């Protein structure tokens, strides 16, 4: 069974304190790995798509990387407005032609000023 | 960017009643829409895939007779929770897709969600 595990479950940082969030996966036939940001009471907001091991994407203070077993979301010098839940999802190839992704439970990030 | 709206944003109902949630793509046509359910501190769980003009495809374990989905136009999908019970209380989110479901990530636009509380 395909699994996506995110760690830590919750993370508290001081403003400016860089850190990384982890998304490990056990799937066969990875088609893509996605990172989303979700604010309380809102729908997820797309951040990145990674397709192959070694790929990296950056956006402002965020950088996503991918290996064959996990992905990291690095947050450099975070600000309080980066506080949110970060979701990881993996999409696999299926014989039935389905492309539905499996989501992790997310990491709740709080950045204190 | 593309905008997806949901209505209502929050609903409280009595056990046994039915509740309809609307998902609209405001500035694009979505051939495929998806419905999810999210319990507190749990992952987003896909409930069903809705294609315009055809029957929805439900994920394993989701009761199709309880969660009725209608995708009558390229900009509107509705989820009706029939005979709602307290265990149906959750955060329901839709997403609209511009790639026909073949891709994900940047082609998926999520709605703001609907908080359902069944008393």
């Amino acid at each position: 069974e395909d699994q996506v595990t995110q760690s830590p479950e919750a993370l508290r940082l001081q403003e400016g304190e860089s850190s990384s969030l982890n998304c490990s996966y056990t799937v066969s036939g990875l088609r893509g790995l996605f990172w989303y940001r979700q604010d309380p009471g809102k729908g997820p907001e797309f951040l990145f798509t990674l397709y192959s091991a070694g790929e990296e994407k950056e956006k402002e203070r965020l950088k996503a990387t991918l290996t064959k077993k996990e992905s990291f979301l690095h947050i450099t010098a975070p600000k309080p407005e980066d506080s949110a839940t970060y979701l990881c999802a993996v999409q696999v190839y299926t014989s039935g032609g389905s492309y539905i992704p499996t989501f992790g439970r997310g990491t709740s990030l709080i950045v204190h000023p | 960017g593309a905008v997806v709206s949901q209505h209502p944003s929050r609903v409280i109902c009595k056990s046994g009643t039915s509740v309809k949630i609307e998902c609209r793509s405001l500035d694009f046509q979505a051939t495929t829409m998806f419905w999810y359910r999210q319990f507190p501190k749990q992952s987003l769980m896909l409930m069903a895939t809705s294609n315009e003009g055809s029957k929805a495809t439900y994920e394993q374990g989701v009761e199709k007779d309880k969660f009725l989905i209608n995708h009558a136009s390229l900009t509107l999908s509705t989820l009706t929770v029939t005979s709602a019970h307290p265990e149906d209380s959750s955060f329901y989110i839709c997403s609209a897709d511009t790639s026909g479901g073949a891709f994900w990530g940047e082609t998926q636009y999520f709605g703001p969600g609907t908080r359902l509380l069944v008393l």
Side-chain angles (χ1 to χ4, degrees), chain B residues 73-88:
Chain B
S73 77
L74 288 173
T75 59
L76 174 65
S77 176
T78 60
L79 169 69
T80 301
V81 183
T82 62
S83 187
H85 289 95
E87 57 266 29
D88 297 323

Side-chain angles (χ1 to χ4, degrees), chain A residues 21-32:
Chain A
L21 312 182
N22 178 265
C23 172
S24 63
Y25 59 92
T26 53
V27 302
S28 54
L30 179 72
R31 192 169 190 269

Side-chain angles (χ1 to χ4, degrees), chain A residues 9 31 34 36 38 41-44 46 49 51 87 91 99-101 103-105, chain B residues 34 36 38 41-44 46 49 91 93 101-106 110-112:
Chain A
E9 186 176 316
R31 192 169 190 269
F34 313 100
Y36 295 90
Q38 186 176 22
K42 300 286 180 62
F46 170 75
T49 303
Y51 292 106
L87 301 175
Q91 188 182 29
Y99 299 101
I100 306 304
F103 285 83
R105 294 188 178 188
Chain B
F34 301 89
Y36 311 80
Q38 187 177 35
K41 296 190 177 181
Q42 298 295 313
S43 60
L44 211 60
L46 180 71
T49 302
F91 192 52
I93 302 174
F103 299 94
W104 212 263
E106 56 266 40
F110 286 85

